[in-house]
């Protein structure tokens, strides 16, 4: 069958857009599949990816939440299952006093000769370190502390050597290390300053066609974020920047009207079929260019021809709905819903996290509830409150819980919080009064501003509490039977946004219990938690 010139030109255009070489496609046209970004929605920033055989792994920053460094697995690059965390013990991650701009910064995951390595920075205690394991689903080692400073460290392995890059002194520095001891084997040297954008960080080294490629982030992790790249014939440099930098950004005319902004902090991976892919962070502004779901994880194809510079998704931008030649046909993407009847017959999922290093005896599973033992450490402090939550992963969502407050004294509280950080959160909770009755309270905490929006005396001892999120508002309601809900509060989302509240995290939907005095030991039994959202 003859192929018309028009059809050949159309096929060539499709190949360029999807990042597959012309020679490959002419002989065996790739099959494209549709998928939706973000591939990991919600506050899962600074993604790093590696491949071991047919398996892919991603890690993310965790800041002041415990366990540290969420760990994900996939076989198709689109569907990701959280299989645990890399940092599960205080001996690995001390988060004492850490706030939403402290704790664990951007990790990198690498696989070399049967061992997985995760390198990161504890900005609150200790600096750069790595942990390792032969089983990523199991326990990881205690920290191996490293001498080169800066943040966003990464590893590159070649011919028995291990190299580390990070960004001390506002530039990208390289040294050779012993990954088992952390000892620096060759002194640190500056290898690139980037293209002139602020905060050159997030460096990764790859080797292709005899070139060492150095990928970094610039511009700060806000709207001006971008990915740039340089290369050298020698790992020590000198590195020359790509004339077409940046290779990924939405801080330009092409990206200015996109529902995705702040694209940056990326990592590359080669699939078994020879195709290349990039994961990066970005965020979805929802109200007046403010975002609340945090910086999320996105995926795009990369065209990388021999001796050439990589091209991301044909034009250096990404989209929510993508069509690309994935290495394998993906399964339908999961919706990250949660429907739990708390019980000691099943463990909490890996999506649940605590603030800083938790006091675990304050969290107990009973036969029909998750019991939180409150202390005088409140969610408004940098101490260790009794708090457990999961990320808001959708702009439009609904979260519902049922609870009972017992053994409480006047002023003790428990409830559901929409939590950005200790300075910015909205709460719907039960408060015990001096007469023994429960008051349902909706209150807003915004830095030095505290506003009680509603107080209602309840008849039932086990109410259902609900928060419903949309682009512009959080709405709070309650029910005595779990079916008929009454709205009792509405507040703007923008005041909890990263742009207003600050920090590097995103909204956590938290369950908490706290006492008004040292002598009080309240208990809150949470019977269920249901979370559903739409993209």
């Amino acid at each position: 069958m003859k192929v018309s010139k028009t059809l050949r030109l159309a096929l060539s255009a499709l190949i360029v857009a999807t990042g597959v070489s012309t020679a490959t496609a002419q002989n065996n046209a790739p099959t494209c599949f549709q998928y939706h970004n973000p591939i990991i929605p919600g506050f899962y920033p600074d993604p790093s990816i590696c491949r071991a055989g047919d398996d892919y792994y991603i890690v993310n920053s965790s800041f002041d939440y415990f366990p540290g460094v969420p760990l994900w697995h996939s076989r198709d690059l689109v569907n990701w299952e959280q299989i645990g965390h890399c940092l599960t013990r205080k001996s690995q991650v001390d988060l004492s006093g850490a706030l939403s701009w402290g704790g664990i910064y951007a990790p990198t995951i690498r696989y070399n000769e049967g061992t997985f390595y995760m390198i990161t920075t504890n900005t609150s205690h200790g600096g750069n370190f790595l942990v390792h394991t032969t089983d990523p689903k199991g326990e990881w080692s205690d920290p191996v502390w490293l001498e080169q400073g800066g943040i966003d460290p990464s590893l590159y392995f070649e011919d028995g050597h291990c190299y580390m890059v990070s960004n001390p002194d506002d530039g990208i520095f390289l040294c050779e290390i012993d990954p088992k001891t952390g000892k620096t084997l060759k002194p640190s040297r500056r290898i690139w300053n980037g293209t002139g954008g602020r905060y050159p960080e997030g460096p990764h080294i790859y080797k292709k066609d005899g070139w060492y490629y150095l990928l970094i982030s610039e511009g700060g992790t806000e709207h001006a974020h971008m990915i740039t790249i340089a290369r050298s014939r020698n790992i020590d440099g000198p590195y020359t920047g790509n004339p077409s930098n940046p290779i990924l950004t939405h801080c330009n005319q092409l990206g200015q009207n996109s529902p995705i902004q702040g694209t940056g902090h990326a990592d590359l991976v080669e699939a078994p079929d020879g195709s290349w892919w990039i994961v990066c962070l970005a965020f979805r502004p929802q109200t007046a260019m403010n975002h609340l779901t945090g910086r999320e994880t996105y995926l795009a194809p990369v065209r990388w021809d021999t001796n050439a510079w990589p091209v991301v998704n044909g034009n250096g931008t990404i989209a929510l709905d993508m069509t690309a030649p994935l290495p394998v046909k993906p399964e339908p993407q999961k919706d990250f819903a949660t429907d739990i009847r708390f019980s000691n017959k099943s463990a909490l999922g890996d999506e649940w996290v605590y603030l800083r290093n938790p006091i675990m005896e304050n969290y107990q599973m009973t036969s029909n509830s998750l019991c939180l033992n409150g202390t005088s450490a409140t969610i408004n402090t940098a101490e260790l409150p009794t708090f457990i939550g999961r990320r808001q992963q959708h702009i439009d969502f609904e979260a519902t819980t049922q609870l009972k407050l017992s053994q409480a004294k006047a002023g003790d509280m428990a409830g559901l919080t929409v939590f950005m950080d200790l300075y910015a959160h909205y709460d719907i909770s039960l408060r015990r009064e001096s007469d023994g009755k429960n008051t349902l309270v909706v209150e807003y905490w915004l830095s030095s501003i505290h506003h009680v929006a509603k107080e209602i005396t309840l008849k039932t001892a086990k109410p259902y509490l609900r928060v419903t999120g949309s682009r512009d508002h959080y709405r709070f309601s309650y029910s005595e039977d779990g079916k008929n809900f009454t709205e009792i509060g509405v507040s703007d989302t923008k005041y909890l946004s990263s742009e207003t509240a600050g920090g590097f995290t995103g909204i956590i939907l938290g369950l908490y219990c706290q006492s008004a005095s040292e002598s009080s030991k309240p208990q809150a039994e949470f019977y269920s938690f249901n979370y559903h959202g739409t993209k």
Side-chain angles (χ1 to χ4, degrees):
M1 183 180 73
K2 294 184 178 180
V3 180
S4 69
K5 181 179 180 181
T6 301
L7 181 58
R8 289 198 303 271
L9 291 174
L11 178 60
S12 297
L14 174 64
I15 291 164
V16 170
T18 55
V20 179
S21 69
T22 304
T24 300
Q26 288 176 341
N27 296 327
N28 185 18
T31 301
C32 290
F33 302 100
Q34 294 181 337
Y35 69 92
H36 187 85
N37 271 319
I39 53 171
I40 306 177
F43 151 51
Y44 291 103
D46 304 320
S48 174
I49 188 170
C50 76
R51 179 173 65 86
D54 293 327
D55 297 282
Y56 302 92
Y57 298 88
I58 278 179
V59 290
N60 303 101
S61 299
S62 50
F63 297 94
D64 56 337
Y65 289 97
F66 181 92
V69 184
L71 175 63
W72 304 81
H73 170 260
S74 177
R75 298 295 294 270
D76 62 14
L77 286 171
V78 168
N79 287 282
W80 292 88
E81 175 192 6
Q82 189 172 356
I83 58 174
H85 293 81
C86 297
L87 307 176
T88 58
R89 310 183 299 275
K90 188 173 183 179
S91 63
Q92 296 171 309
V93 54
D94 184 354
L95 296 173
S96 303
L99 302 178
S100 61
W101 47 84
I104 296 297
Y105 278 22
T108 294
I109 187 169
R110 292 293 181 258
Y111 177 72
N112 183 63
E113 297 182 348
T115 298
F116 291 86
Y117 297 85
M118 189 284 293
I119 182 172
T120 188
T121 312
N122 187 338
T123 63
S124 300
H125 297 279
N128 292 326
F129 68 96
L130 66 83
V131 293
H132 53 82
T133 185
T134 56
D135 177 11
K137 294 184 179 181
E139 289 292 310
W140 292 63
S141 72
D142 276 340
V144 176
W145 295 99
L146 304 166
E147 298 174 8
Q148 181 167 288
I151 59 170
D152 304 354
S154 182
L155 297 174
Y156 173 73
F157 293 90
E158 183 179 39
D159 298 332
H161 298 274
C162 177
Y163 298 91
M164 170 187 170
V165 282
S166 62
N167 74 334
D169 198 24
D170 206 27
I172 307 303
F173 283 69
L174 170 81
C175 66
E176 184 179 348
I177 67 168
D178 180 339
K180 297 300 182 182
T181 67
K183 181 178 176 59
T184 298
L185 302 180
K186 291 184 179 179
S188 300
R189 59 176 296 168
R190 185 187 295 265
I191 58 173
W192 198 40
N193 290 324
T195 66
R198 63 178 181 172
Y199 307 131
E201 57 193 17
H204 298 296
I205 289 178
Y206 318 89
K207 192 174 186 181
K208 186 178 184 298
D209 306 321
W211 290 97
Y212 293 94
Y213 287 87
L214 174 60
L215 186 80
I216 74 167
S217 303
E218 299 183 52
T221 187
E222 297 94 19
H223 288 267
H225 218 18
M226 59 183 173
I227 295 298
T228 59
I229 196 166
R231 70 182 183 183
S232 173
R233 287 296 186 183
N234 299 300
I235 194 168
D236 291 323
Y239 283 82
T240 302
N242 181 358
S244 297
N245 276 325
I247 63 170
L248 172 63
T249 189
H250 281 199
C251 188
N252 54 20
Q253 287 186 339
L254 283 175
Q256 67 182 4
N257 295 319
S258 172
I260 304 168
Q261 293 297 320
T263 52
H265 201 106
D267 198 3
L268 292 161
V269 68
E270 183 180 12
D273 67 351
S275 63
W276 284 80
W277 300 84
I278 194 167
V279 293
C280 68
L281 67 74
F283 53 80
R284 292 175 287 166
Q286 59 185 73
T287 178
M289 295 304 287
N290 296 298
H291 74 283
L292 291 100
T293 54
R295 297 167 299 155
E296 307 169 299
T297 296
Y298 291 73
L299 173 74
V302 174
R303 185 181 77 245
W304 200 334
D305 299 328
T306 302
N307 287 316
W309 297 99
V311 177
V312 178
N313 197 35
N315 65 2
T317 67
I318 57 177
L320 291 177
D321 294 304
M322 300 281 291
T323 300
L326 292 159
V328 297
K329 182 179 180 180
E331 297 293 327
Q333 284 178 267
K334 63 184 295 186
D335 62 8
F336 293 94
T338 298
D339 286 295
I340 300 175
R341 292 295 303 180
F342 291 118
S343 167
N344 56 13
K345 295 181 181 179
S346 60
L348 285 173
D350 290 316
E351 71 271 22
W352 292 90
V353 292
Y354 308 87
L355 269 171
R356 295 172 282 280
N357 301 99
I359 303 172
M360 289 309 300
E361 55 263 34
N362 289 332
Y363 306 83
Q364 300 169 346
M365 279 288 194
T366 71
S367 60
N368 66 348
S369 70
L370 169 61
C371 184
L372 302 188
N373 299 318
T375 71
S376 59
T378 75
I379 59 176
N380 296 322
T381 70
E383 299 176 5
L384 303 179
T386 303
F387 169 104
I388 186 169
R390 57 102 74 211
R391 289 157 172 85
Q392 176 188 336
Q393 295 184 277
H394 306 82
I395 293 174
D396 297 292
F397 76 92
E398 183 179 271
T400 308
T401 190
Q402 184 189 22
L403 77 156
K404 177 183 178 181
L405 182 61
S406 59
Q407 300 183 30
K409 296 181 179 179
D412 294 348
M413 302 182 73
L416 172 63
T417 177
V418 181
F419 190 86
M420 176 58 83
D421 65 18
L422 64 90
Y423 301 109
H425 51 95
Y426 299 156
D427 312 328
I428 179 170
S429 54
L430 294 184
R431 184 181 67 212
R432 182 60 51 85
E433 305 299 336
S434 57
D435 61 4
K437 294 181 179 180
N438 289 328
T439 298
L440 183 63
V441 183
V442 175
E443 53 190 334
Y444 311 136
W445 299 83
L446 301 168
S447 188
S448 60
I449 301 172
H450 173 218
H451 174 63
V452 178
K454 196 76 171 181
E455 293 183 328
I456 299 174
T457 300
L458 291 181
K459 296 179 181 179
T460 180
K462 297 195 294 185
Y464 293 83
L465 309 182
R466 174 173 290 175
V467 57
T468 303
S470 64
R471 300 190 69 85
D472 298 315
H473 298 102
Y474 289 112
R475 299 179 181 274
F476 299 90
S477 57
Y478 79 101
S479 173
E480 297 187 354
D481 59 11
K483 299 178 181 179
N484 302 297
F485 282 81
T486 301
E487 185 176 293
I488 57 172
V490 181
S491 191
D492 291 341
T493 55
K494 64 184 178 182
Y495 299 118
L496 296 188
S497 69
S498 296
E499 287 74 14
T500 302
F504 296 134
T505 57
I507 295 296
I508 299 285
L509 302 171
L511 309 177
Y512 73 98
C513 182
Q514 60 194 38
S515 65
S517 66
E518 293 284 350
S519 62
S520 183
K521 306 295 180 183
Q523 290 186 339
E525 292 184 88
F526 290 88
Y527 299 101
S528 61
F529 186 89
N530 306 96
Y531 172 90
H532 292 270
T534 59
K535 298 291 186 182

